[in-house]
Amino acid sequence: MADIPLRQRARKPTPAELDAIPWLKLLDGAQRSRAIVTLEVGDAEPGERLCRIGRPATFWFGVIDGLLKMNNDDSTGQAVTFTGIPPGGWFGEGTLLKREVYRYNIQALRPSVVAGLPIDSFHALLDGSIAFNRFVLDQLNERLGQFIGARETDRIHDPDVRVARNLAALFHPTLYPGVGNWLRITQQELGYLVGLSRQRVNQALHRLGDAGLIRIEYGGLRVLDLQGLRRFQADAPAA
């Protein structure tokens, strides 16, 4: 299936997939109906790229299920992962607003269900819906804060703190409302996002668990104290 471009494998969303799109609930009846008509969904396979650096932005994308990563062009230097994108996350609105080409790659880390709203429908909602404008403004504001925090995290050398900060970012309630307090993620996937080995991530997770901040469960992680995870320091004592 991956030999066929994701765009050509697109399909209409199911009712359950529509329910997982947070901004649809903010639209009035007519706007919601028009948006649903243009929405498409694709089933991305691991390693498949949804957005490529230098390609024009034609859709606003959101994760219904799965996990994506946003990274740089690693063909001329070190690979840098900017952020992970779990369920409920919509991204690329800044690029669409300016009608620019992508300055980053978006790649699926695992089988993922991704929805796309065409750029013309995106701008039509901006022109006609105050509620949609507020949603996009909140997205831009929160993402700016997230990237400022990510720059600060990049300067931290302690692996436990880096895992804590990156994990907290994946549980952001505004950017990723589909996550809640439990995220399906493997230690290998978290290692890809943080830039650490699976073994080192495992050590960090157990330390965060001992501090009473998370609980390691089958298939994923449960956050018990999000604020504590954000404030975690290298010398934090165990709970």
Side-chain angles (χ1 to χ4, degrees):
M1 287 289 288
D3 293 336
I4 303 174
L6 185 63
R7 180 68 182 82
Q8 297 179 21
R9 306 196 317 265
R11 55 178 175 79
K12 300 308 293 183
T14 67
E17 290 166 345
L18 291 175
D19 286 342
I21 298 176
W23 52 266
L24 267 182
K25 304 175 181 65
L26 306 176
L27 307 179
D28 65 31
Q31 292 168 337
R32 188 175 191 275
S33 297
R34 287 193 295 270
I36 289 174
V37 168
T38 60
L39 274 166
E40 297 182 357
V41 169
D43 299 283
E45 299 181 7
E48 192 168 6
R49 288 186 177 179
L50 287 78
C51 309
R52 292 177 181 270
I53 293 173
R55 298 277 183 89
T58 55
F59 280 86
W60 188 39
F61 290 111
V63 182
I64 304 298
D65 186 39
L67 182 65
L68 311 180
K69 71 171 181 176
M70 177 186 293
N71 63 346
N72 68 332
D73 179 9
D74 59 0
S75 63
T76 58
Q78 182 180 3
V80 177
T81 297
F82 300 129
T83 187
I85 308 171
W90 285 74
F91 57 90
E93 56 276 348
T95 305
L96 266 69
L97 283 168
K98 294 179 286 186
R99 295 184 182 271
E100 292 184 342
V101 298
Y102 288 112
R103 299 182 182 182
Y104 48 82
N105 295 319
I106 299 288
Q107 189 173 21
L109 284 178
R110 75 158 72 105
S112 301
V113 180
V114 182
L117 182 74
I119 185 171
D120 290 338
S121 297
F122 174 82
H123 279 276
L125 287 175
L126 285 176
D127 292 338
S129 172
I130 293 176
F132 186 77
N133 272 270
R134 287 174 176 165
F135 181 88
V136 172
L137 184 61
D138 285 343
Q139 288 278 115
L140 292 168
N141 184 50
E142 295 294 340
R143 201 179 307 283
L144 175 61
Q146 185 185 58
F147 278 113
I148 291 173
R151 288 293 296 166
E152 294 173 346
T153 301
D154 287 342
R155 298 187 177 94
I156 297 173
H157 298 293
D158 185 272
D160 297 341
V161 178
R162 288 176 57 194
V163 170
R165 300 287 172 81
N166 278 273
L167 195 55
L170 294 175
F171 284 85
H172 194 296
T174 301
L175 291 176
Y176 312 123
V179 174
N181 63 0
W182 188 86
L183 176 64
R184 183 164 64 92
I185 190 170
T186 67
Q187 295 179 8
Q188 186 69 59
E189 290 167 344
L190 186 55
Y192 289 145
L193 298 178
V194 182
L196 297 170
S197 68
R198 184 194 63 79
Q199 293 81 3
R200 189 61 188 84
V201 167
N202 178 271
Q203 294 176 29
L205 292 178
H206 278 88
R207 184 176 178 196
L208 297 176
D210 292 340
L213 303 177
I214 67 168
R215 184 164 63 235
I216 303 172
E217 299 182 356
Y218 179 76
L221 299 169
R222 186 175 302 277
V223 166
L224 306 176
D225 183 355
L226 182 57
Q227 293 303 321
L229 201 60
R230 290 170 172 167
R231 297 191 302 263
F232 180 80
Q233 299 296 330
D235 56 353

